[in-house]
Amino acid sequence: MAEGRQGRSPILEASMTQGERVTVQINPRRRLPDFLQSVNLKYVKLGYHYLITHLLTLLFIPLLLAIGLEAGRMGPEDLWQLWENLQFNLVSVITCSALLVFVATVYFMSRPRPVFLVDFACHLPDEKLQVPVQLFMERTRMSGFFDEKSVEFQKKILERSGLGSKTYLPAAMHALPPCPSMKAAREEAELVMFGCLDELFEKTKIKPKDVGVLVVNCSLFNPTPSLSGMIVNKYKMRGNIRTYNLGGMGCSAGVIAIDLAKDMLQVHGNTYAIVVSTENITQNWYFGNRRSMLLPNCLFRVGGAAILLSNKRKDAGRSKYKLNHVVRTHKGADDKCYSCVYQEQDEQGNMGVALSKDLMAIAGETLKANITTLGPLVLPLSEQLLFFSTLVARKVLNMRVKPYIPDFKLAFDHFCIHAGGRAVIDELEKNLQLTPEHCEPSRMTLHRFGNTSSSSIWYELAYMEAKGRMRRGNRVWQIAFGSGFKCNSAVWQALRNIKPTQQSPWAHCIDEYPQHLEEIQHIN
C-alpha cells in the first residue's frame, strides 16, 4: 500500500483490534511551520538588541503612567495637605537641594574636558611622483641592486597587494640610480608636513601661534633638530608651545599621537593641539635581497595627515567630530610579538625592516586583546549580555558552545582599518564579520595611495566624507597596528553632517571609486 502511494502525502497506518486497517492522511498544509527556515535569525537578534537597549525606557513608562494616574486622582484638599507637609519640612527640602547642587557641581567639574576634532588635512603629492607598477618594476630592474629572484618576488607582491597605478614615491626614488640622502629625506618630510599644515590652517582659519600643543609621529626618520622643531621653525610658533616627537612606534603611532594630544588637552585648558602623522620613504628604502625586507618597498608610499584638536567648548559647533575613546594594547612583553616587525641589517649590511611570517597571527591576537577592552565601552548592553552568558557557559559550566563574537556593527557606523595590505584588511573583515561596504574605504585607500603608514586611517576618513556618507551622530572606529607589537583604537562621533569639499585628497578622483568591487553598493 505504501508503494502505491509513493510521492504522495505521508500516510499513518494504525492497527485496530478487529484486524482491520485504518489509514489517516495528514494534510501537509496544516503542519507547524519550520521556524528556522521561515524566520530570519538576523531580525530576531536585531529585535533582541532593541529590546535590551530600550529596556529602561520600557520599564520607566509604566511607572510614569502610574504616577500620572495617582496625581489625577488627587483633589484640591490632597494637594493642600501635600503643600503643608512640605512647609513643615522646609529645612529638609533646602538641605537636600543644597546637597544635590553640590554633588552636581562636583560631578560636572570632575568630568574630563571634551576633545573636538575641528578639521584635518591629508597630503596629495604631485602627479609627477606617481609610480605605476610597470614603472616601479622598470626602475627596480635598472637600479642594479636586486637579483632576478628578488625582482620577480616584488612583481608578484605588487600584483597581489591591492595597490593601484597612481600611488606615490618620493623624488629620490625616481632617480636612476636612487639617491637617498639626509637632504632628500628632509625635503620629503617638509613637502608632506608643510603641505598638510598649510591646508589645515587655511581650512580652520587659526593662526600657528594659537596652537599650544604639537605632536609629530614618524617611525623611521628622526633627524636633529626634530620634525616638530622643523614645524615650529617654519611657522614661527610661540615659545611656550609643548612639542613632542614620536619615533619607532610603527603604523599605529597616529592613534598614540591622538591619545597624547588628548591627555595634554586635559591638563591645559582653552587651547589647540595639532597632530602630524607621516612616514619617510627616502631614507628607509631597502637595497638588498632578503624577501622579508622587500615587502615594505612594495607596500609603503608617500603620505601624511595633519589634525587639529580643541578643548574649547565654543568649537563644538564648527568641529567635525568628538573623541569618545582611545584604547591602546601593547604586546611587547612577548618576544615573538616584539620582533615580528624589526629594523636590522641583512647579511650584506643593508638596512631594512623585516616582517615576520607570524605577523598576521600576532595581529589577530593583539586585536582580540584590544577589542576585549574596547567592547564594554562601546557595545550595546544586548551584545555584552550575550558575550557574558556565553563566557559563563564555556568557562564556568564547561558547556561545549562556540565562543560568541560580539557584533561591532551595532556599535559603529564606519570602520577605518589601517591599510597595511590586502591581507590585513581581509583578516579584519573576517574576524570582525564585516561587510564589503565597511571595508571599502580601507581597500580604496590602499588602491589609491598605498600603505601610508600612520596616516592611512585619515585618508580613509576623508574617503567617507568625499562620498557624503558621514551623518551627524555616526560613530567611527579607527584601528591601527604597529611594531612592538601594538593595536590601537580611536572612536569618534560625528557632530554634524559632513559635506564633500574640493580640498579633499579624493576630490579629483572620488567618482572613479570604488574599483574592482562589484558587490559593493554605493551608499550616498
Side-chain angles (χ1 to χ4, degrees):
M1 183 174 181
E3 293 178 0
R5 293 183 179 271
Q6 287 182 356
R8 298 176 58 184
S9 300
I11 293 174
L12 177 64
E13 294 188 351
S15 292
M16 306 297 290
T17 55
Q18 293 84 356
E20 45 182 10
R21 286 183 174 177
V22 178
T23 61
V24 181
Q25 183 169 331
I26 299 175
N27 188 344
R29 295 181 181 177
R30 295 184 179 180
R31 288 180 179 175
L32 290 175
D34 187 347
F35 287 102
L36 291 177
Q37 295 181 2
S38 60
V39 177
N40 193 328
L41 294 180
K42 178 180 73 173
Y43 297 110
V44 174
K45 182 179 176 182
L46 191 61
Y48 167 75
H49 162 63
Y50 284 130
L51 174 64
I52 296 298
T53 303
H54 300 95
L55 184 61
L56 291 177
T57 304
L58 295 174
L59 294 175
F60 193 58
I61 289 175
L63 179 62
L64 286 178
L65 290 176
I67 294 174
L69 289 174
E70 189 65 27
R73 293 174 183 172
M74 297 177 67
E77 295 181 358
D78 296 325
L79 293 174
W80 179 254
Q81 185 68 31
L82 180 62
W83 172 250
E84 287 186 340
N85 289 335
L86 288 175
Q87 284 182 326
F88 286 119
N89 295 286
L90 186 60
V91 175
S92 299
V93 171
I94 293 175
T95 303
C96 291
S97 300
L99 182 62
L100 185 64
V101 171
F102 174 76
V103 171
T105 302
V106 171
Y107 170 73
F108 283 108
M109 291 186 67
S110 62
R111 289 179 64 189
R113 291 188 176 99
V115 175
F116 303 109
L117 192 161
V118 181
D119 213 331
F120 67 98
C122 296
H123 178 60
L124 181 63
D126 195 288
E127 288 185 6
K128 67 182 181 181
L129 298 180
Q130 289 182 356
V131 54
V133 175
Q134 184 178 356
L135 178 62
F136 181 93
M137 294 311 306
E138 177 185 324
R139 296 297 173 86
T140 299
R141 281 193 174 91
M142 295 175 65
S143 67
F145 293 104
F146 308 101
D147 58 31
E148 191 59 33
K149 288 185 179 179
S150 296
V151 171
E152 288 301 316
F153 175 74
Q154 292 181 77
K155 182 179 180 181
K156 289 180 180 179
I157 293 297
L158 281 170
E159 290 173 350
R160 303 171 186 174
S161 65
L163 273 69
S165 60
K166 295 183 179 181
T167 60
Y168 305 92
L169 283 177
M173 295 298 103
H174 283 267
L176 273 177
C179 53
S181 64
M182 175 61 76
K183 181 182 178 182
R186 283 183 179 275
E187 289 174 353
E188 179 193 347
E190 291 174 354
L191 185 68
V192 174
M193 295 192 305
F194 298 165
C196 294
L197 288 167
D198 287 345
E199 182 181 329
L200 184 67
F201 289 133
E202 182 183 350
K203 279 182 175 181
T204 58
K205 307 303 180 185
I206 72 161
K207 300 176 181 178
K209 289 187 179 295
D210 294 333
V211 179
V213 178
L214 173 64
V215 184
V216 180
N217 70 270
C218 182
S219 186
L220 296 173
F221 181 59
N222 295 283
T224 300
S226 66
L227 298 178
S228 59
M230 292 166 61
I231 294 173
V232 171
N233 177 260
K234 163 70 175 179
Y235 294 98
K236 309 304 177 189
M237 292 177 161
R238 66 196 199 195
N240 64 344
I241 187 172
R242 294 162 180 86
T243 61
Y244 302 89
N245 216 87
L246 306 181
M249 307 191 80
C251 301
S252 68
V255 177
I256 297 174
I258 292 291
D259 191 35
L260 176 57
K262 178 203 72 174
D263 290 343
M264 295 303 298
L265 289 175
Q266 296 305 312
V267 178
H268 306 284
N270 198 38
T271 190
Y272 291 108
I274 283 183
V275 172
V276 179
S277 295
T278 187
E279 191 51 86
N280 193 278
I281 308 295
T282 299
Q283 273 209 327
N284 297 286
W285 199 258
Y286 176 60
F287 293 101
N289 292 292
R290 189 193 290 184
R291 290 193 172 187
S292 62
M293 292 183 169
L294 286 170
L295 291 172
N297 286 10
C298 301
L299 298 176
F300 282 86
R301 296 293 184 266
V302 172
I307 305 96
L308 178 65
L309 303 176
S310 171
N311 58 13
K312 301 180 180 182
R313 294 190 180 276
K314 68 177 184 179
D315 285 324
R318 68 165 181 154
S319 295
K320 287 185 173 182
Y321 305 94
K322 178 185 176 183
L323 181 62
N324 287 346
H325 306 287
V326 176
V327 174
R328 295 164 55 181
T329 303
H330 203 308
K331 288 284 189 177
D334 184 281
D335 291 341
K336 185 179 289 187
C337 297
Y338 173 74
S339 59
C340 69
V341 180
Y342 202 82
Q343 186 179 26
E344 60 182 350
Q345 291 177 313
D346 65 8
E347 295 76 8
Q348 286 72 41
N350 297 304
M351 185 68 72
V353 177
L355 304 182
S356 168
K357 61 181 180 181
D358 300 319
L359 179 60
M360 293 311 303
I362 292 170
E365 289 299 318
T366 313
L367 172 66
K368 188 184 300 183
N370 187 264
I371 64 177
T372 301
T373 306
L374 180 66
L377 300 174
V378 298
L379 285 171
L381 183 60
S382 59
E383 288 298 294
Q384 297 192 43
L385 288 176
L386 285 173
F387 178 78
F388 179 74
S389 60
T390 307
L391 185 65
V392 170
R394 294 179 67 241
K395 300 296 184 181
V396 179
L397 304 178
N398 294 322
M399 297 175 62
R400 294 183 177 180
V401 294
K402 292 182 178 180
Y404 181 71
I405 301 175
D407 188 358
F408 281 90
K409 298 188 292 294
L410 296 174
F412 302 108
D413 303 286
H414 306 286
F415 296 79
C416 296
I417 302 168
H418 167 53
R422 194 176 67 178
V424 174
I425 301 171
D426 289 344
E427 191 70 18
L428 264 72
E429 180 179 358
K430 176 184 175 183
N431 287 341
L432 297 177
Q433 300 178 350
L434 303 180
T435 65
E437 289 89 345
H438 292 130
C439 297
E440 179 190 332
S442 303
R443 295 190 190 281
M444 297 306 104
T445 295
L446 181 65
H447 181 271
R448 178 62 185 85
F449 295 99
N451 181 351
T452 59
S453 189
S454 56
S455 65
S456 67
I457 54 177
W458 298 106
Y459 286 92
E460 294 162 18
L461 189 59
Y463 178 88
M464 287 182 280
E465 292 184 358
K467 283 291 185 182
R469 298 176 183 176
M470 198 61 65
R471 296 288 181 265
R472 181 179 180 179
N474 282 178
R475 291 158 296 180
V476 185
W477 182 13
Q478 292 180 323
I479 319 170
F481 299 92
S483 57
F485 189 80
K486 299 180 287 292
C487 176
N488 299 321
S489 297
V491 179
W492 304 89
Q493 185 168 358
L495 298 177
R496 54 185 172 88
N497 296 343
I498 300 174
K499 299 178 180 179
T501 67
Q502 290 302 311
Q503 293 174 304
S504 168
W506 295 92
H508 65 292
C509 63
I510 191 62
D511 294 334
E512 302 172 11
Y513 288 91
Q515 294 188 10
H516 310 303
L517 297 172
E518 292 80 11
E519 295 181 359
I520 286 183
Q521 296 179 351
H522 290 263
I523 306 173
N524 294 314

